[in-house]
Amino acid sequence: GRVAQEAVKQGRANVAFTAYHILGDHNKCVDLLLQTNKIAEAAFYARTHAHGRVADIVKKWKLQISSIPRVRDALADPVQFPNLFPGITPESLATAEEEPEFPAVEVPAPS
């Protein structure tokens, strides 16, 4: 939506994220989290809303924390350890965008 795009232009990532989430544009939410270097948050968000992006984000997260081997090695990838990710199926991993749990709601502009 326009609100999200304008918020991005103005550097208001929190407003843009909220707008994209309300619209159900989960890939945009993940992209925004990655652009603002919130890789851990992107991984957790993708775990819920964009299964197909989790493995790639976990790789980025591991690179980000490579200086902390104990933590880096504790991060699991759903492709390598599917038993640790109940509810994530091979089919959902093959898609970059999951269907939102709740349909997007049309919110009228204030008058």
Side-chain angles (χ1 to χ4, degrees), residues 5-33:
Q5 292 170 351
E6 190 58 35
V8 168
K9 287 179 190 174
Q10 293 180 17
R12 312 250 339 195
N14 56 341
V15 174
F17 179 88
T18 301
Y20 286 135
H21 182 74
I22 289 170
L23 292 171
D25 196 339
H26 302 302
N27 273 323
K28 291 271 189 176
C29 288
V30 170
D31 291 340
L32 190 59
L33 289 167

Side-chain angles (χ1 to χ4, degrees), residues 37-86:
N37 204 33
K38 295 184 181 302
I39 298 172
E41 291 88 340
F44 282 104
Y45 188 87
R47 164 65 177 93
T48 302
H49 298 289
H51 296 168
R53 298 197 58 191
V54 175
D56 182 52
I57 296 167
V58 168
K59 288 177 192 170
K60 290 177 185 188
W61 191 6
K62 285 185 174 198
L63 285 173
Q64 184 186 45
I65 60 169
S66 61
S67 64
I68 313 169
R70 193 179 73 173
V71 176
R72 177 199 64 216
D73 295 342
L75 294 177
D77 173 342
V79 174
Q80 294 175 321
F81 300 98
N83 58 311
L84 299 177
F85 294 86

